Every structure is written in structure tokens, then in C-alpha cells.
Amino acid sequence: MYISSHNSFRWLAARIFLIGIGPLFILSVALCSRVVQNYLDDAAAPALRYAQAMMENKEVLTTQAMRRKLSMLLPDGQWIVQNESHEITASNIEDTDEQQRLVEEVHSQNGDHSSSIYAPMLPLPSSSVWLHVFVPGSGSVFYGVSIESLLPGATFSFGLCLTLFFSLLITAIFNSIIFSSFVHEKLAQETLLREKLEQKLIEANRLSAQTRVVAGIAHEINTPLAIIIQEAGWVKELLEDLQEQVALVEKEPRKVLCGTFSEMDASLDVMRKQGKRCAEIIHGLLRMSRKGAENKTAVDVNSVVEDVVHLSQPKAAELGIKIKTQFNAFVPAYASAGHVQQILLNVINNAIDAVAVSNREERNVIVSTFSTKHAVLIRVTDTGLGLSRELKNRIFEPFFTTKAAGQGTGLGLSISYSLARRNDGNLSVQSSPDKGSSFTLTLPVAAVDSLPAL
């Protein structure tokens, strides 16, 4: 009833993995960056305190003097000198745009008139830590020192962390693939098992529905067989009389002999008619019991309805219920003939049961067929008690039944609904209390070369 390939599960597992690893990666990078920034602040703090001590002791009064002191303390650094008007007066960085960018980054974090340390948000080994030293009355000195100079071995540590991270990432992806493959295999096995169980359930329901009409069919076949046996005995007696009459043919009028032949002919006609009736009943039952007819083809719904109604008629007649048919479908449906038969047998049997327990004067089940441009409809309407809104909303649930205990499994309509959906159709119900119920099976129209005139 539900066919599902789990090929998309790998993509689902990958999406879950990416959604989960993304925030985790960002969080880990942010935490590592913060830890490294703290180490860089601690590493650069002595140089900043040294510069502040020189200003407090009046050893340095200008930006140029401060720059020379810092160059002696931290050689091979980058530096930018800015006056009190925020104009860059000197730098060992040739690119003026880069000078302005670095100054703006430091100012945006630390302000214009405060000595501080600036560490980049993403501290790569090639990045620099900048000291911002404000010299009152002269300007500011920006002195950049590479992280490798402050923390020897930073490049090696960064490479080791990067290697470890990618190792963990590859391991996580590999485990995700293994896990998705394992779950994919298990789900495929469960799907195969479920499909087998569903097929057995459908077959059991088909046999159950047929069993419900066996008693009526047996009675229906028994009547014409009794007539055939009776007529055969009568023909035998006529043949015995005929032998006597042939011996007396010269003594008796010929009209007596002709009358005997006429009676024999009438009896043989009755036997032939009743034999055809038995054959039709048996052929209808054989068509209904044929297994494996699940391939979708062009189905004449009128013919299918006739077969099912013919099989259901004995049970309905025994209960005093009339089954009427109205054929207005002029195009075939594209569906499985066996599935359509099974659906109709379930629905018509339920309709007969619903009318049987009602006390209404009208005891009818009407089966109608209709066709539109895109759909073929089969409607089964009964004059039973009808359904309340609560019952109508649950009528297609598995194991839900309104019948007394032991008279129904509650699977007939549920399986019928699933079979309708499997054939790209639908099974719906309209019902009101004391107004009967109407079940409509909708099926797609089969592709035909030409349609008869309406």
C-alpha cells in the first residue's frame, strides 16, 4: 500500500550532519579564537606596560621616540605613526590604503585616545597583534608584531590543530556514510517485509470478501441444477414413452408423437438455459478469484460492476434487498481490474449489511457508473442507517468497524481505500444519519483513440 525507496536517506543524513556540524564548527572556531586572543593579549601585555612606564617616567615624549623604543624591544615589526589630528605622518607600510585600514580596525575596537592591544578576530599565524600607544601631546603609535614572534611555534600548533580538525571531520563524515548505509539497508528490508505483509493482507481480504458470497452462490447454483436434474428425468420418461409410441405409430395418430417431441424440446431448452446460468455464475466467480491481475490496463467498469453485482445478488435477494444498476460510463478506466473488483465487492457487501440492519421501507443498493473528461466514477448508494460525522471521519481507519463483534474485521474499507490510492484514484464517502450512505470510487481515464458519441 505504501511503496518507498530510501535512496534519499543518504541526502537526509548528509543534511542533518551539515546542519549539526555547521554551528559546532562556528562555535569551536569562536572559542579557539577567543582563547588565542587571550594568549596574545598576555604575550603583548609586557610591551604595552613597558611603553606606559616610559611615558609615566617622562622618558618618551614624542611618537617618534616611542616608535624607536618599541622597535628596539620588538624588532622587525610594522609601525604607523599618527598625529593628534589623526593624520598618518610616517609608516614602514607602503600601501596607504592598508595603513588606513589597520588604523581604523584598531580605533574601532579600542578608541582613539587609549593605549591598548588589538588581536585579530581570526588569529592566523601570518596575522599581527597591534599595540596602540597614545602619547599625549604628540599622537599615536601603532606597532604590529607577528603572532609567530609573540608565540614561537604558533605555525606548528595551528597546523596541528588544523590537521586534527580535518581528521575529526573526515571521521565524522565516514561514520555518517556508514550509519546512513546501515539504516538504508535496514529500512529497505523493513519495506520489503511490509510490502509482503500488505500483499498477504490484501489477498486475505479478497478471499474473505469472496467467502461472504459463497453461501449465496451455492444457493444460486443449486436452484438451476435442481431444475436441470428434474428436466433430465422428465426427458428420460418422455424417451421411454417415445419408444412405446414408435411401436404404435401406425395405430395412433402422429400428433401424439409430435406432442412428445415438443415436450422434449421444451425440457431441453430449460436445461440449456439453466446450464448457461450456472456457467455464468461460475465464470463470474472465477474472474473474481483470479490471482495476479494487478497490472493496470483499460478496464470496462460497467462489465466489472455486472460481475460483482451478479455475485452479490443471491445474498441481497435472501435478505429482501434489491440491487439496481445504472451505467453511464462511456470510457474505460486505467486501473487493475482485480483491485476494482475487490473494492466493489467490499463496498457492496457493506452496503447490503447496512441495509439489512435498517428498518427503512426502501431496501435498495444502487450501483452507478459515470465518466468525465479525466475520471471514471463508480458510486454505491444504500438506504441504510447512514453514518454520523464521527463515524464518517473514521470509516477508513484500519480495524474500525460499526458491525457487531465477530461480524467484521474493520479492514475491508481500509484496504479498499489503499487499493484505490494505489491505482491513482480515491474512495470517498457521503453519509448522514437515517439517510443512507454513498461511496464513490474515482479512477483515472484510460487513454483511448476514440470515444463513442454521447
Side-chain angles (χ1 to χ4, degrees):
M1 285 176 273
Y2 303 98
I3 300 176
S4 172
S5 66
H6 299 285
N7 294 330
S8 61
F9 184 81
R10 296 179 185 272
W11 293 104
L12 177 62
R15 290 181 62 187
I16 294 175
F17 173 76
L18 292 176
I19 292 173
I21 201 66
L24 184 62
F25 173 73
I26 295 174
L27 179 62
S28 62
V29 170
L31 291 176
C32 291
S33 299
R34 187 57 185 168
V35 170
V36 174
Q37 280 181 327
N38 290 336
Y39 276 107
L40 293 175
D41 289 343
D42 293 340
L48 181 62
R49 287 197 295 268
Y50 173 72
Q52 290 174 336
M54 286 190 295
M55 286 188 297
E56 291 176 0
N57 296 330
K58 307 298 183 179
E59 296 179 16
V60 176
L61 298 176
T62 63
T63 54
Q64 288 296 336
M66 179 59 71
R67 192 265 304 168
R68 287 191 294 268
K69 292 288 186 181
L70 291 175
S71 296
M72 293 173 60
L73 180 63
L74 301 170
D76 300 328
Q78 295 177 315
W79 51 268
I80 302 172
V81 178
Q82 189 180 58
N83 60 22
E84 289 185 310
S85 301
H86 303 298
E87 296 177 354
I88 298 176
T89 58
S91 176
N92 64 350
I93 301 175
E94 295 181 359
D95 190 349
T96 56
D97 292 336
E98 181 68 10
Q99 296 173 12
Q100 191 64 37
R101 185 187 66 82
L102 291 171
V103 169
E104 290 177 356
E105 282 187 2
V106 176
H107 280 318
S108 64
Q109 179 174 330
N110 303 316
D112 296 342
H113 303 291
S114 59
S115 298
S116 57
I117 300 172
Y118 170 77
M121 294 295 295
L122 186 60
L124 300 175
S126 59
S127 303
S128 297
V129 177
W130 286 84
L131 297 177
H132 175 213
V133 182
F134 177 68
V135 181
S138 180
S140 298
V141 177
F142 300 90
Y143 199 90
V145 185
S146 66
I147 293 177
E148 183 67 27
S149 299
L150 287 176
L151 298 175
T155 303
F156 173 77
S157 300
F158 180 80
L160 183 62
C161 292
L162 196 62
T163 302
L164 179 61
F165 172 76
F166 277 109
S167 299
L168 293 175
L169 180 63
I170 293 173
T171 302
I173 294 175
F174 179 75
N175 289 336
S176 174
I177 294 174
I178 295 299
F179 173 73
S180 64
S181 300
F182 172 76
V183 176
H184 178 272
E185 181 181 356
K186 290 299 182 183
L187 289 177
Q189 293 176 357
E190 292 296 328
T191 300
L192 182 61
L193 178 60
R194 184 179 62 184
E195 289 177 353
K196 290 182 178 178
L197 292 176
E198 287 174 350
Q199 190 59 39
K200 290 182 179 179
L201 184 61
I202 292 173
E203 184 67 17
N205 174 259
R206 183 178 65 85
L207 295 176
S208 174
Q210 293 174 5
T211 302
R212 297 173 63 183
V213 299
V214 165
I217 291 176
H219 176 73
E220 186 74 4
I221 294 177
N222 185 63
T223 300
L225 286 179
I227 296 175
I228 292 173
I229 294 172
Q230 179 181 349
E231 292 297 326
W234 174 239
V235 170
K236 182 178 180 181
E237 293 179 1
L238 289 175
L239 287 174
E240 293 176 353
D241 294 341
L242 182 60
Q243 291 178 351
E244 298 176 359
Q245 293 173 7
V246 168
L248 301 175
V249 67
E250 296 180 355
K251 300 179 180 180
E252 296 292 335
R254 295 182 61 85
K255 65 178 181 179
V256 176
L257 189 59
C258 293
T260 301
F261 279 117
S262 177
E263 291 182 8
M264 290 176 60
D265 185 63
S267 296
L268 290 174
D269 285 340
V270 172
M271 293 169 64
R272 186 184 302 108
K273 181 179 179 181
Q274 297 301 322
K276 287 183 178 180
R277 183 180 175 189
C278 290
E280 290 176 357
I281 295 173
I282 293 174
H283 289 162
L285 184 60
L286 288 175
R287 284 193 295 269
M288 287 295 297
S289 62
R290 189 178 296 117
K291 184 178 180 181
E294 295 190 2
N295 296 329
K296 295 181 181 179
T297 58
V299 178
D300 182 0
V301 296
N302 296 335
S303 177
V304 173
V305 169
E306 284 183 341
D307 288 341
V308 177
V309 168
H310 196 71
L311 293 177
S312 303
Q313 191 72 50
K315 176 182 177 181
E318 184 179 353
L319 297 172
I321 300 171
K322 295 182 180 179
I323 301 181
K324 303 178 181 179
T325 56
Q326 299 175 356
F327 298 133
N328 299 300
F330 299 100
V331 293
Y334 183 69
S336 164
H339 288 171
V340 176
Q341 291 171 345
Q342 186 170 349
I343 294 170
L344 289 179
L345 194 58
N346 282 329
V347 174
I348 292 177
N349 278 336
N350 283 348
I352 293 174
D353 293 339
V355 176
V357 298
S358 69
N359 296 322
R360 300 180 61 182
E361 294 183 1
E362 290 184 298
R363 298 174 67 81
N364 300 323
V365 174
I366 303 174
V367 186
S368 309
T369 63
F370 309 90
S371 60
T372 65
K373 185 177 180 180
H374 302 290
V376 177
L377 295 85
I378 306 174
R379 184 168 297 154
V380 179
T381 304
D382 64 65
T383 57
L385 296 176
L387 301 170
S388 63
R389 178 179 295 181
E390 293 76 15
L391 294 178
K392 186 169 61 175
N393 292 336
R394 300 187 59 192
I395 197 67
F396 296 117
E397 292 182 8
F399 303 105
F400 177 78
T401 179
T402 59
K403 299 177 182 178
Q407 296 185 5
T409 62
L411 290 174
L413 289 179
S414 174
I415 292 176
S416 298
Y417 180 82
S418 298
L419 291 177
R421 301 293 291 181
R422 179 180 289 187
N423 286 273
D424 300 322
N426 187 39
L427 181 63
S428 59
V429 59
Q430 293 180 340
S431 182
S432 299
D434 299 325
K435 293 184 179 180
S437 302
S438 180
F439 288 82
T440 302
L441 173 62
T442 305
L443 298 169
V445 172
V448 292
D449 297 332
S450 61
L451 299 178
L454 300 180

